Amino acid sequence: MRTGGPGRPQADARELAAYDELIRRSREQALLASCSSLLGWDEQTYMPPGGSENRGEQTALLAGLQHERATDPRVGELLGTVEGSAVVSDPESPAAVNVRELRRTFDRLTRLPRSLVEELARATSKAHLEWVAARQAHDFELLRPSLETIFRLKRDEAACLDNGEGEPYDALLDEYEPGAKSSELAGVFASLREELVPLVSAIAGASRRPDPEILRRDYPVDRQKVFAETAAAAVGFDFHAGRLDTTEHPFCTGIGPGDTRITTRYDPRNFSDAFFGVLHEVGHGLYDQGLDPEHHGTPMGEAVSLGVHESQSRMWENIVGRSRSFWNYWFPLARQVFRDALRDVSLEAFHFAINEVKPSLIRVQADEVTYNLHVLVRFELERALLSGDLAVNDLPSAWNEKYLRYLGVSPGHDGEGCLQDVHWSAGLVGYFPTYTLGNLYAAQLFDRAWDDLGDLPAAFSTGQYGGLLGWLREHVHRQGQRHHSAALVERVTGNPPSQEPLVLTLRSKYSELYGF
Amino acid sequence: MRTGGPGRPQADARELAAYDELIRRSREQALLASCSSLLGWDEQTYMPPGGSENRGEQTALLAGLQHERATDPRVGELLGTVEGSAVVSDPESPAAVNVRELRRTFDRLTRLPRSLVEELARATSKAHLEWVAARQAHDFELLRPSLETIFRLKRDEAACLDNGEGEPYDALLDEYEPGAKSSELAGVFASLREELVPLVSAIAGASRRPDPEILRRDYPVDRQKVFAETAAAAVGFDFHAGRLDTTEHPFCTGIGPGDTRITTRYDPRNFSDAFFGVLHEVGHGLYDQGLDPEHHGTPMGEAVSLGVHESQSRMWENIVGRSRSFWNYWFPLARQVFRDALRDVSLEAFHFAINEVKPSLIRVQADEVTYNLHVLVRFELERALLSGDLAVNDLPSAWNEKYLRYLGVSPGHDGEGCLQDVHWSAGLVGYFPTYTLGNLYAAQLFDRAWDDLGDLPAAFSTGQYGGLLGWLREHVHRQGQRHHSAALVERVTGNPPSQEPLVLTLRSKYSELYGF
């Protein structure tokens, strides 16, 4: 009997050799990228200040090498040989997925003219310094001209990348969330907004209030470290294949199989920042540690999208980490470790405090309910900026108007308004929505896991996370890029991505906490 | 008036362009090498154990890229264009030095057949595991066959590299100590041995003895760290452009301009290991930090040789760091920091203890007098092994015989005899002599610095090291590879390298300490 089943055509030697060469090149690219990742990690953790100029040159050299290899016409030839051949006849096979995604990347990179890439690099490099100055001086005018240039260039970029389907914004979104369509997102996000705005109002009007001051007592840094590392290891982060370090800005970076590094920062007068920051990065890290090592360096061994990545971090940070059942187990330990701070605090008070909801101006400090409204503001604005429906000049007033409408707060100045994020000045347009997609996917996936696994809160109450982690490994991590995010969610949960699971989760949790 | 002076020919545009391309390529090679350095540093310091397989692949990829670029025939063409042109007409100009050294490296790399390089890589990789097993089992036979293969391959390597001058050993030595001739070394080393053997006997027969136990009291690790870092910074190591970390095996690695990293290990019951280890690595680090940043990535901005590198580490560790004047300043501070350990210890007793001389079996634990005898044994043996005058099979007995003759000690087994070092099983032949060259150069350079600068001990007694460091910067560090090591030493000191300064230094110091 022939392998491949009756009737299925056989790939010839040339096609198989082309596929093998593609994979070898993909793995080399991944190795080079992993060297860049280490340079980046070191820059944030241990590099002495004097090393930054040399680090810039190292990083640029490796980036240049990677770009040169990624856009090598030979890759196009190899893809041409393999596409349509029997190598990729089963569209869900690893080979077909790899070829599909290698083509996507090759086209993205080769469609952008070198002049545009360089112009964008210059514009964003200039804009970064202006953004720092503008935010500090609360003066949008310092950034405005560069921001106009950047949005003009991003329109050019979208035009180069555009495949004729959907609006130009989709071409940018595709870099972070492959296959996502902004028209679909806009529908889901609008429905989400319509549910969240009244939920935030209901919380604001509730008579029960948490006491967040109990989280701002003395939490000695050395004890925070031990406590956070213990929790990270307990939920499944493998310290044999990873590290936790201290940096100014927390992040997670995968150096390669067996080497996933997360970071956090500690404030001796704030329990939540480091602890939930660690759980967040652990969520990213678990995804990274759960990727299939057999497929490392190829799309089948890589994360699907920023949105799915964020779903993992948000699930561990919020759905697991801020749940009552999680603290049934950990609060008695926390009281031992932080004896002075928590002596007079009950589990109920603690759990309420870590779930305080309060509309605010700054996205990165927002709670899990209002956070999405910050993101929706940015999604709506950047989409309008890109299409030209909104002029850059009108951004501050449009920003302030939306904050007032969705969150009921008004920035005192643009520094705490439209200048707070680095993204746009860095040329990142289409990135923001992935934060909220992460929250949506997290809620939807978690509901399904709960259905499949039975009583998850009971497991968390006894410090058991293996069931959930195993489920995520199987249904998400090991899938690599087999499906794009929306298809992945639909396959796993039976429904396309929707705002409903998140809305139901939040409404149920917060009506109980705040009593309305 | 024409630049370059009357009568000097002008380089044409083609020659200048070829030189520029050579330099650009050299700098890119240095950048790639600096990425490898960071991978190596991270592997020793912070990499989680699970990352080692991926690290091996990253390292191999970068090494392959570097080798591919270093042996690109284009480099040979460029060298051919520039050599003999007006670009290099002044042999001491940076351009001439760079071209001379780039040619040396290119020839070394291109003369070795790929098959030989791969055979050596396989043989040493196999031998490494066997060496670990042989050393542990005290069984030379486990390593013997591989060692025979390695010396056979090294003979082949020497034959490929041989330029017809000197003996085959010189071709290997040239990798670590460019331009050195083993016949000259052998003369100097023999004279050194004839002086050291009786000096060691005189010390052994002296009636005054130090009390080394005072260095093996409780020296808390956190205090050792602070004390060592303080001393490192005081002698001139720039922590803005460097770091000190903890590793199992201490080392110094230059990641690039502004980024020099040293490491050490701490034993809570041993003062000397970490402290003098740090001063040793600081010496290497000061050389690295003193290289000319303008010439970074080219031979004019790189260290001359392992011998000269070692001269810097030995000078700071031994000549400065174990001097009485150094401790005039630091001992009162040490007594504050290590109150319990040093409460009843006088400066004299402390200084005597850190300078204990005692023949022993293990090179890496040897004092500054007997250390050179360990090296001379290895130099004589590896030269005979390479020439074939000594069979690998006879190595253990030849080793033991020399140890008895030079040091008066006999290994109980080969694990503390000829199996103690990793070098030969790693294919490093011609490396050992650079350790003693370092000691010779250090003494000779230091004498000259003292002549030039006046009373150095007075400076050390008040914690001043800027004079010596500035002198080294000017006469050694900033010279890059302008001259090979022997020529450098002769230019700076007025005499060719000799055993005399070291012998005089040691005799004077130890006759005073031990009273003979």
Side-chain angles (χ1 to χ4, degrees):
Chain A
M1 224 178 110
R2 287 167 57 192
T3 53
R8 176 162 282 185
Q10 298 289 299
D12 67 26
R14 195 176 121 266
E15 290 158 351
L16 288 171
Y19 179 71
D20 287 348
E21 186 179 337
L22 273 177
I23 294 305
R24 188 179 56 70
R25 284 171 173 264
S26 177
R27 290 191 198 271
E28 275 195 14
Q29 286 292 88
L31 271 179
L32 274 177
S34 78
C35 295
S36 300
S37 298
L38 185 73
L39 293 175
W41 174 84
D42 180 74
E43 188 172 354
Q44 303 291 318
T45 51
Y46 296 114
M47 185 187 79
S52 67
E53 194 182 325
N54 186 62
R55 182 55 42 88
E57 290 182 25
Q58 291 175 307
T59 305
L61 177 69
L62 290 193
L65 278 175
Q66 286 166 66
H67 189 265
E68 190 182 302
R69 290 161 163 247
T71 56
D72 186 336
R74 175 77 182 151
V75 176
E77 286 167 33
L78 294 167
L79 286 167
T81 303
V82 176
E83 284 164 338
S85 82
V87 174
V88 297
S89 52
D90 172 2
E92 290 195 14
S93 67
V97 170
N98 286 337
V99 170
R100 182 193 76 212
E101 291 302 313
L102 291 172
R103 162 63 73 188
R104 206 180 65 81
T105 304
F106 181 73
D107 284 352
R108 280 196 75 83
L109 292 173
T110 50
R111 279 177 186 163
L112 294 180
R114 200 187 172 89
S115 58
L116 178 59
V117 173
E118 287 171 359
E119 228 179 320
L120 256 168
R122 272 195 301 276
T124 52
S125 161
K126 178 163 172 276
H128 182 72
L129 300 174
E130 293 167 349
W131 169 71
V132 171
R135 188 169 75 148
Q136 199 161 19
H138 311 164
D139 184 357
F140 181 71
E141 193 52 28
L142 295 178
L143 180 62
R144 186 192 49 78
S146 278
L147 210 52
E148 284 170 351
T149 306
I150 287 170
F151 271 94
R152 177 174 58 72
L153 293 171
K154 294 303 281 188
R155 266 192 292 273
D156 293 348
E157 183 183 322
C160 295
L161 296 173
D162 195 7
N163 58 6
E165 303 165 19
E167 58 178 280
Y169 182 84
D170 293 5
L172 303 183
L173 183 59
D174 190 74
E175 182 168 355
Y176 314 108
E177 201 67 21
K181 299 278 161 267
S182 51
S183 58
E184 289 168 22
L185 254 58
V188 174
F189 284 7
S191 306
L192 178 63
R193 200 185 67 215
E194 280 157 29
E195 302 278 3
L196 287 184
V197 171
L199 178 61
V200 172
S201 291
I203 291 170
S207 54
R208 273 159 57 181
R209 322 283 337 154
D211 175 12
E213 288 311 310
I214 60 175
L215 304 172
R216 291 175 200 130
R217 296 175 173 177
D218 284 328
Y219 291 90
V221 167
D222 55 340
R223 288 171 173 259
Q224 284 195 56
K225 282 186 182 178
V226 172
F227 192 67
E229 276 208 25
T230 306
V235 301
F237 186 80
D238 179 1
F239 280 95
H240 182 82
R243 298 184 48 82
L244 169 57
D245 292 275
T246 306
T247 53
E248 204 182 321
H249 300 287
F251 64 92
C252 168
T253 185
I255 308 292
D259 192 351
T260 300
R261 307 189 185 187
I262 59 176
T263 72
T264 193
R265 62 181 157 209
Y266 298 94
D267 175 345
R269 297 277 303 170
N270 186 318
F271 173 81
S272 300
D273 267 14
F275 188 81
F276 293 106
V278 166
L279 281 187
H280 181 96
E281 302 306 335
V282 157
H284 285 302
L286 291 174
Y287 190 3
D288 196 70
Q289 292 185 334
L291 294 169
D292 193 342
E294 194 197 321
H295 290 296
H296 172 67
T298 71
M300 268 303 291
E302 283 162 12
V304 189
S305 70
L306 290 188
V308 175
H309 232 307
E310 195 74 3
S311 78
Q312 303 302 292
S313 57
R314 294 289 170 163
M315 191 185 294
W316 291 100
E317 175 194 355
N318 290 330
I319 304 184
V320 179
R322 292 183 200 267
S323 71
R324 173 62 189 254
S325 52
F326 182 87
W327 290 100
N328 283 342
Y329 181 86
W330 287 99
F331 187 69
L333 299 170
R335 283 190 78 172
Q336 302 293 330
V337 176
F338 306 106
R339 251 174 255 122
D340 296 339
L342 297 177
R343 188 191 312 257
D344 60 351
V345 177
S346 69
L347 170 55
E348 289 69 29
F350 181 83
H351 180 238
F352 200 3
I354 61 172
N355 284 293
E356 187 196 19
V357 172
K358 195 176 170 186
S360 66
L361 292 165
I362 307 297
R363 175 182 60 86
V364 296
Q365 295 163 2
D367 57 81
E368 65 171 326
V369 181
T370 61
Y371 187 88
N372 296 297
L373 293 171
H374 291 264
V375 172
L376 300 189
V377 166
R378 287 154 177 80
F379 168 68
E380 293 170 10
L381 292 173
E382 69 180 11
R383 205 170 158 220
L385 286 166
L386 193 82
S387 71
D389 288 350
L390 176 67
V392 168
N393 197 40
D394 299 328
L395 174 60
S397 58
W399 178 286
N400 297 349
E401 186 265 328
K402 281 190 194 283
Y403 261 77
L404 190 60
R405 195 138 53 88
Y406 300 165
L407 284 146
V409 295
S410 289
H413 52 75
D414 292 336
E416 55 185 22
C418 66
L419 289 171
Q420 70 184 263
D421 296 304
V422 73
H423 300 58
W424 291 332
S425 57
L428 301 175
V429 177
Y431 190 113
F432 281 123
T434 66
Y435 293 126
T436 281
L437 284 175
N439 287 326
L440 298 178
Y441 298 159
Q444 193 160 339
L445 290 168
F446 187 80
D447 279 0
R448 179 68 204 202
W450 194 340
D451 284 348
D452 283 358
L453 297 167
D455 198 354
L456 281 176
F460 300 163
S461 289
T462 55
Q464 305 296 316
Y465 313 94
L468 176 60
L469 181 57
W471 187 93
L472 290 170
R473 289 251 188 280
E474 179 189 348
H475 294 285
V476 180
H477 307 174
R478 293 279 165 160
Q479 297 302 311
Q481 301 187 350
R482 195 186 296 274
H483 309 286
H484 285 170
S485 54
L488 173 75
V489 170
E490 183 160 1
R491 291 224 162 204
V492 177
T493 68
N495 294 302
S498 150
Q499 76 289 351
E500 251 183 69
L502 177 62
V503 168
L504 290 175
T505 298
L506 295 177
R507 197 182 286 144
S508 136
K509 174 174 175 180
Y510 288 95
S511 63
E512 195 180 323
L513 275 170
Y514 278 87
F516 56 85
Chain B
M1 224 178 109
R2 286 165 59 193
T3 53
R8 176 160 285 184
Q10 299 288 300
D12 67 25
R14 196 177 121 268
E15 292 157 353
L16 289 171
Y19 180 71
D20 287 348
E21 187 179 336
L22 273 176
I23 293 305
R24 187 179 56 69
R25 284 170 174 264
S26 176
R27 290 191 200 271
E28 275 194 13
Q29 287 292 89
L31 270 180
L32 274 178
S34 78
C35 295
S36 300
S37 299
L38 185 73
L39 293 175
W41 174 84
D42 181 73
E43 188 172 353
Q44 303 292 318
T45 50
Y46 297 113
M47 185 186 78
S52 67
E53 193 182 326
N54 185 61
R55 182 56 40 89
E57 290 183 24
Q58 291 175 307
T59 304
L61 177 69
L62 290 192
L65 278 174
Q66 286 165 65
H67 189 265
E68 189 182 302
R69 289 162 163 245
T71 56
D72 186 337
R74 174 78 181 149
V75 176
E77 286 168 33
L78 294 167
L79 286 168
T81 302
V82 175
E83 283 163 339
S85 81
V87 173
V88 297
S89 52
D90 172 2
E92 291 195 13
S93 67
V97 170
N98 286 337
V99 170
R100 183 192 74 211
E101 292 301 313
L102 291 172
R103 162 63 72 186
R104 206 179 65 80
T105 303
F106 180 73
D107 284 352
R108 279 196 76 82
L109 292 172
T110 51
R111 278 177 188 163
L112 293 180
R114 200 189 173 87
S115 58
L116 178 59
V117 173
E118 286 170 359
E119 227 179 321
L120 257 167
R122 271 194 302 274
T124 52
S125 163
K126 178 162 171 278
H128 182 72
L129 300 174
E130 293 168 350
W131 169 72
V132 171
R135 188 168 74 149
Q136 200 160 17
H138 311 166
D139 184 356
F140 181 70
E141 193 53 28
L142 295 178
L143 180 62
R144 187 192 49 77
S146 279
L147 211 51
E148 284 170 353
T149 306
I150 287 171
F151 271 94
R152 175 174 59 72
L153 294 171
K154 295 303 280 189
R155 266 192 293 274
D156 293 347
E157 182 183 321
C160 294
L161 297 173
D162 195 7
N163 57 7
E165 304 164 18
E167 59 179 281
Y169 183 84
D170 293 6
L172 303 183
L173 183 59
D174 190 74
E175 182 169 355
Y176 313 109
E177 201 66 22
K181 299 278 162 267
S182 50
S183 57
E184 291 168 21
L185 253 59
V188 174
F189 283 8
S191 306
L192 177 64
R193 201 187 64 215
E194 280 158 27
E195 302 278 4
L196 287 184
V197 171
L199 178 60
V200 171
S201 292
I203 291 171
S207 54
R208 273 159 59 182
R209 322 283 337 153
D211 175 11
E213 289 310 310
I214 60 176
L215 304 173
R216 290 173 201 132
R217 296 176 173 177
D218 284 328
Y219 292 90
V221 166
D222 55 340
R223 288 172 173 257
Q224 285 195 54
K225 282 186 182 176
V226 172
F227 192 67
E229 277 208 25
T230 307
V235 302
F237 186 81
D238 179 1
F239 279 95
H240 182 81
R243 299 182 48 82
L244 169 58
D245 292 275
T246 306
T247 53
E248 204 182 320
H249 300 287
F251 64 92
C252 168
T253 185
I255 308 291
D259 193 350
T260 300
R261 307 190 184 186
I262 59 177
T263 72
T264 193
R265 62 179 158 211
Y266 299 94
D267 175 346
R269 297 277 304 171
N270 185 320
F271 173 80
S272 299
D273 266 14
F275 188 80
F276 294 106
V278 167
L279 281 187
H280 181 96
E281 302 307 335
V282 158
H284 285 302
L286 290 174
Y287 191 3
D288 196 72
Q289 292 185 333
L291 294 169
D292 193 341
E294 195 197 321
H295 291 295
H296 172 68
T298 71
M300 268 302 292
E302 281 163 13
V304 188
S305 71
L306 290 189
V308 175
H309 231 307
E310 196 73 3
S311 77
Q312 304 302 293
S313 57
R314 294 289 170 165
M315 192 185 295
W316 292 99
E317 175 193 355
N318 290 330
I319 305 184
V320 179
R322 291 183 202 269
S323 70
R324 172 63 188 254
S325 52
F326 182 87
W327 290 100
N328 282 342
Y329 181 86
W330 288 99
F331 187 69
L333 299 170
R335 283 190 78 171
Q336 302 293 329
V337 175
F338 306 106
R339 250 174 257 123
D340 296 340
L342 297 176
R343 188 192 312 258
D344 61 351
V345 176
S346 69
L347 169 56
E348 288 69 28
F350 182 82
H351 180 238
F352 200 4
I354 61 172
N355 284 294
E356 186 196 20
V357 172
K358 196 175 170 187
S360 66
L361 291 165
I362 306 297
R363 175 181 61 85
V364 296
Q365 295 163 1
D367 57 82
E368 65 171 324
V369 181
T370 59
Y371 188 88
N372 297 297
L373 294 171
H374 291 264
V375 173
L376 299 189
V377 166
R378 287 153 178 80
F379 168 68
E380 293 170 9
L381 292 173
E382 69 179 11
R383 206 170 156 220
L385 285 166
L386 194 82
S387 72
D389 288 350
L390 175 67
V392 168
N393 198 39
D394 298 330
L395 173 60
S397 57
W399 177 287
N400 297 348
E401 186 267 325
K402 281 190 194 284
Y403 260 78
L404 190 60
R405 193 138 53 88
Y406 301 164
L407 283 145
V409 294
S410 288
H413 51 75
D414 292 335
E416 55 186 22
C418 67
L419 289 171
Q420 70 183 263
D421 296 304
V422 74
H423 299 60
W424 291 332
S425 58
L428 301 175
V429 177
Y431 191 112
F432 280 123
T434 66
Y435 292 128
T436 280
L437 284 176
N439 286 327
L440 298 177
Y441 298 160
Q444 192 160 340
L445 290 169
F446 186 80
D447 280 359
R448 179 69 204 199
W450 194 340
D451 284 349
D452 284 358
L453 297 168
D455 199 354
L456 282 177
F460 299 163
S461 290
T462 54
Q464 305 295 317
Y465 312 94
L468 176 61
L469 182 57
W471 188 94
L472 291 169
R473 289 252 188 280
E474 180 189 346
H475 294 285
V476 180
H477 308 173
R478 292 280 164 159
Q479 298 301 312
Q481 300 186 349
R482 194 186 298 273
H483 308 287
H484 286 172
S485 54
L488 173 76
V489 170
E490 182 159 3
R491 291 223 161 205
V492 176
T493 69
N495 295 303
S498 151
Q499 77 288 352
E500 253 184 66
L502 178 63
V503 168
L504 290 174
T505 298
L506 294 178
R507 198 182 286 143
S508 136
K509 174 173 173 180
Y510 288 95
S511 63
E512 196 180 322
L513 275 170
Y514 278 86
F516 57 84

